Amino acid sequence: MKLNIQDTFNKELPADKILENSRRQVLDACFSFVTPKKTANPKLIHVSKEMLEAIGLTSENATSEDFLKVFTGNKVLENTHPYAMCYGGHQFGNWAGQLGDGRAINLTEVVHNNKCWAIQLKGSGETPYSRTADGLAVLRSSVREYLCSEAMFHLGVPTTRALSLSLSGNDVLRDVMYNGNPAYEKGAIVSRLAPSFIRFGNFEILAARKQHLILQQLADYTIKHFYPKITSEGKQKHLDFLTEARNRTIDMIIHWQRVGFVHGVMNTDNMSILGLTIDYGPYGWLEGYDLGWTPNTTDNQHKRYRYGNQSHIGLWNLFKLANALYPLIEEVEPLQKILDEYADIYEAKHHQMMKSKIGLFIEDKSDKELIGRLEETLQLTETDMTIFFRNLSYITSEDNFDTAFKKIEDAFYVLDEVEEEIKIHWKDWLNRYLKRLQQETFYDQERKQKMDSVNPKYVLRNYMAQLAIDDADKGDYKLIDELYQLLKKPYSEQPEHEKWFAKRPEWARHKVGCSMLSCSS
Ligand code: AMP
Ligand code: MG
């Protein structure tokens, strides 16, 4: 197994001078060297051929003993120096101080085809940042991260990637619903990849500790390696950096809204500085379209991270990033300006995205209202987001209200509820929509194609992941592979997989893992 190793983070930035793997505050450093924990009986469950190739490996490499050992933390590659990153963060709106990679360990960075990939193991033992926890991950959350990050990539959403999913062979104690009923679960390890795993929180912790020199080093490192298009100098360079991070954050959230993804824990330690979806924990997919929905039971009371609030939180988090970068700029106004522009940029992009979902391409001043009414109408009764938008593309210029309604009625969870008042709203909306379609210049078939390329047919519905987890728990990994293959082509019809183009079954409505998820991963 030959990897083109080119470490930068642990070579160019200051390391923790203490080598002991004990839980503590790590000062004057961006990371701590650690060795992954050896596991009892590692076993590879799934590996991504695509990501193997991305780092210059073959499927054959992945069958070797060496591969298994390296990607479960049982062997450290020659000339590499694994480490855990130091970061802080705002959790649910409050400054939480030092957090850091408590259960993630960066193995190394490799370069292949001019792309650099940092390789990280999630769930391979404690680090100085593990606080009171064990540094381990369980099978259920590892399956969720593995499948979802790849599904997101194929949906066109910026994301970290996943290379392999393994069992550790150790049992891990977890209290899933935080109700005093802990139980042992199978331990697992995901190896995941991204150009970098740096988060907003890496900057915040340095600013909070007034370590401005290291802060500058980290900002300059990030710009040099990941924002090479920034060529300005001095303060302007760091302002441009914030502008770029803002733009990438907006783009990522717009994609989330497009596909109905709810991250669930948008704390600043879970915000990638590269605008990648990171840390797949209690995330969920909208089934019924509902701006107020969050999958995260820990957030049930205030629903801070609900679907309809993700853009506000993106801005809130960027405020924290701007505060962290302030010592490098020392002027409030230009920072404020970058943040003030967020709302307009987001609105404009969101509008375009929604227009593309409903197949409108020319400009009409009534479009804003049409989209606003749709968002309201979709919430009158439980209406499946994925099915609605996918089936909307069947509507043609020949349709009238009745024939158009027939084409979308599969999306309603209880069709009987769509009577009288609700039906009047749909009649109003569909008639406006049919009229508006008359102005479009694309043929129906062309419009359908365009709509189908932004409205996925298949997403990783919460219950689908849970079915794969239940099987995996019994040692059957077929469904993991089936979903993995299915979600590689989320916009394709794949008639052989039609059973996954269906509303959530009733049994999954209130089941733990399907509609209720906690952070206990
Ligand atoms: P999260 O909510 O998953 O983003 O995690 C927040 C913080 O808790 C991060 O610093 C994680 O590294 C840490 N953490 C979460 N789970 C564990 C665990 N099982 N062991 C050690 N640290 C953890
Ligand atoms: Mg996290």
Side-chain angles (χ1 to χ4, degrees):
M1 187 168 68
K2 199 115 193 74
L3 289 167
N4 179 20
I5 288 161
Q6 293 193 25
D7 284 340
T8 60
F9 190 92
N10 62 359
K11 290 216 161 121
E12 296 176 24
L13 293 166
D16 177 7
K17 293 195 177 57
I18 304 172
L19 293 177
E20 188 195 335
N21 189 356
S22 58
R23 293 139 202 251
R24 58 201 150 80
Q25 293 293 306
V26 174
L27 304 176
D28 308 313
C30 287
F31 64 92
S32 307
F33 289 111
V34 275
T35 306
K37 187 179 171 175
K38 292 213 166 37
T39 72
N41 186 15
K43 182 176 171 235
L44 199 59
I45 293 180
H46 205 276
V47 60
S48 157
K49 185 160 176 271
E50 204 181 329
M51 293 320 291
L52 281 171
E53 285 166 7
I55 56 169
L57 297 181
T58 62
S59 297
E60 208 196 321
N61 290 140
T63 60
S64 70
E65 191 63 22
D66 236 23
F67 183 90
L68 175 70
K69 281 188 178 158
V70 169
F71 291 96
T72 54
N74 287 289
K75 177 184 165 180
V76 174
L77 280 168
E78 228 175 281
N79 298 321
T80 66
H81 308 279
Y83 60 95
M85 288 184 182
C86 180
Y87 55 79
H90 281 81
Q91 296 184 312
F92 296 95
N94 305 306
W95 174 240
Q98 178 181 297
L99 295 167
D101 287 330
R103 59 170 159 181
I105 295 179
N106 298 271
L107 295 184
T108 184
E109 293 165 54
V110 301
V111 177
H112 185 66
N113 284 341
N114 289 322
K115 276 200 180 147
C116 71
W117 294 102
I119 305 177
Q120 202 174 72
L121 299 184
K122 189 165 173 180
S124 63
E126 60 196 74
T127 75
Y129 310 96
S130 297
R131 295 179 293 157
T132 57
D134 54 14
L136 304 175
V138 292
L139 182 58
R140 83 187 128 81
S141 55
S142 305
V143 170
R144 283 168 52 81
E145 169 139 11
Y146 184 79
L147 285 178
C148 197
S149 54
E150 289 308 279
M152 290 285 267
F153 172 77
H154 293 288
L155 283 164
V157 185
T159 178
T160 59
R161 304 293 304 272
L163 171 69
S164 66
L165 168 66
S166 306
L167 286 171
S168 64
N170 298 99
D171 288 337
V172 175
L173 194 62
R174 285 290 181 273
D175 187 357
V176 183
M177 295 317 291
Y178 300 122
N179 59 2
N181 291 310
Y184 281 101
E185 299 184 44
K186 290 182 182 172
I189 296 167
V190 169
S191 66
R192 57 182 191 178
L193 309 180
S196 170
F197 290 95
I198 300 173
R199 303 134 192 274
F200 288 13
N202 293 67
F203 299 89
E204 287 180 275
I205 190 74
L206 296 170
R209 288 171 170 166
K210 300 198 167 33
Q211 296 181 319
H212 297 163
L213 209 62
I214 307 180
L215 176 67
Q216 170 139 14
Q217 279 178 286
L218 180 66
D220 290 346
Y221 166 87
T222 309
I223 296 166
K224 174 176 142 198
H225 290 282
F226 309 109
Y227 287 97
K229 289 202 181 117
I230 297 177
T231 52
S232 45
E233 295 289 337
K235 290 182 183 182
Q236 191 56 43
K237 170 169 151 177
H238 297 120
L239 287 169
D240 291 346
F241 174 43
L242 181 65
T243 304
E244 286 303 313
R246 176 200 68 192
N247 292 347
R248 290 204 198 181
T249 302
I250 290 175
D251 286 344
M252 171 183 79
I253 297 174
I254 295 279
H255 278 294
W256 291 356
Q257 301 307 104
R258 173 174 65 82
V259 297
F261 175 81
V262 186
H263 183 284
V265 213
M266 291 176 73
N267 294 333
T268 55
D269 53 301
N270 291 334
M271 295 295 287
S272 147
I273 197 68
L274 306 185
L276 305 172
T277 314
I278 192 173
D279 281 8
Y280 290 85
Y283 68 83
W285 292 83
L286 281 194
E287 292 178 306
Y289 186 85
D290 178 359
L291 292 168
W293 187 72
T294 176
N296 185 355
T297 48
T298 319
D299 190 24
N300 235 340
Q301 201 183 352
H302 302 293
K303 299 197 192 302
R304 177 180 171 87
Y305 298 138
R306 64 190 181 274
Y307 176 63
N309 208 32
Q310 298 194 114
S311 75
H312 291 122
I313 295 295
L315 177 58
W316 195 94
N317 290 342
L318 282 161
F319 259 97
K320 299 301 161 196
L321 179 63
N323 276 335
L325 296 177
Y326 174 80
L328 308 181
I329 295 155
E330 291 183 312
E331 277 179 70
V332 174
E333 258 170 55
L335 286 168
Q336 187 67 46
K337 184 167 172 288
I338 294 168
L339 299 171
D340 286 347
E341 289 163 352
Y342 180 101
D344 284 347
I345 299 173
Y346 184 87
E347 269 315 306
K349 291 201 167 190
H350 185 261
H351 181 66
Q352 285 311 320
M353 179 274 284
M354 288 304 289
K355 275 184 68 180
S356 72
K357 281 183 82 66
I358 61 174
L360 302 182
F361 299 96
I362 64 157
E363 284 302 318
D364 185 282
K365 59 180 185 329
S366 69
D367 290 347
K368 232 188 171 66
E369 197 194 341
L370 187 71
I371 289 166
R373 277 174 189 259
L374 174 61
E375 285 176 328
E376 283 167 23
T377 312
L378 279 170
Q379 294 180 86
L380 295 176
T381 176
E382 196 177 12
T383 310
D384 195 272
M385 177 181 180
T386 304
I387 297 178
F388 174 80
F389 283 102
R390 186 73 182 187
N391 284 352
L392 190 69
S393 71
Y394 285 107
I395 292 179
T396 70
S397 41
E398 321 270 271
D399 276 312
N400 56 39
F401 165 68
D402 289 316
T403 57
F405 185 80
K406 270 257 155 294
K407 292 178 178 173
I408 57 150
E409 69 180 17
D410 258 1
F412 300 117
Y413 275 78
V414 186
L415 185 56
D416 286 351
E417 272 178 27
V418 194
E419 280 182 349
E420 293 166 32
E421 208 183 323
I422 296 181
K423 191 120 180 199
I424 293 169
H425 283 284
W426 276 111
K427 191 163 191 167
D428 176 66
W429 192 81
L430 280 169
N431 281 332
R432 283 169 190 259
Y433 179 59
L434 289 167
K435 195 160 155 228
R436 175 64 182 78
L437 284 183
Q438 305 290 332
Q439 295 178 41
E440 289 293 319
T441 51
F442 287 116
Y443 290 115
D444 290 333
Q445 202 47 40
E446 288 174 310
R447 184 178 65 253
K448 179 174 178 7
Q449 248 174 31
K450 285 180 184 291
M451 288 169 76
D452 289 352
S453 70
V454 293
N455 295 319
K457 179 167 177 181
Y458 303 103
V459 297
L460 183 63
R461 289 172 184 271
N462 313 308
Y463 83 92
M464 290 162 65
Q466 190 57 42
L467 288 175
I469 290 164
D470 291 343
D471 282 1
D473 220 24
K474 294 180 212 126
D476 178 355
Y477 310 117
K478 286 195 296 295
L479 193 50
I480 292 179
D481 188 59
E482 180 181 334
L483 296 180
Y484 176 86
Q485 303 299 344
L486 167 76
L487 296 168
K488 265 176 145 173
K489 291 187 233 141
Y491 300 102
S492 301
E493 283 300 320
Q494 305 191 66
E496 69 280 18
H497 286 304
E498 199 73 21
K499 70 169 178 203
W500 300 119
F501 182 58
K503 282 165 277 197
R504 171 206 57 228
E506 250 337 273
W507 60 259
R509 181 181 290 274
H510 300 297
K511 188 172 180 319
V512 173
C514 296
S515 61
M516 294 192 287
L517 292 142
S518 71
C519 290
S520 74
S521 45

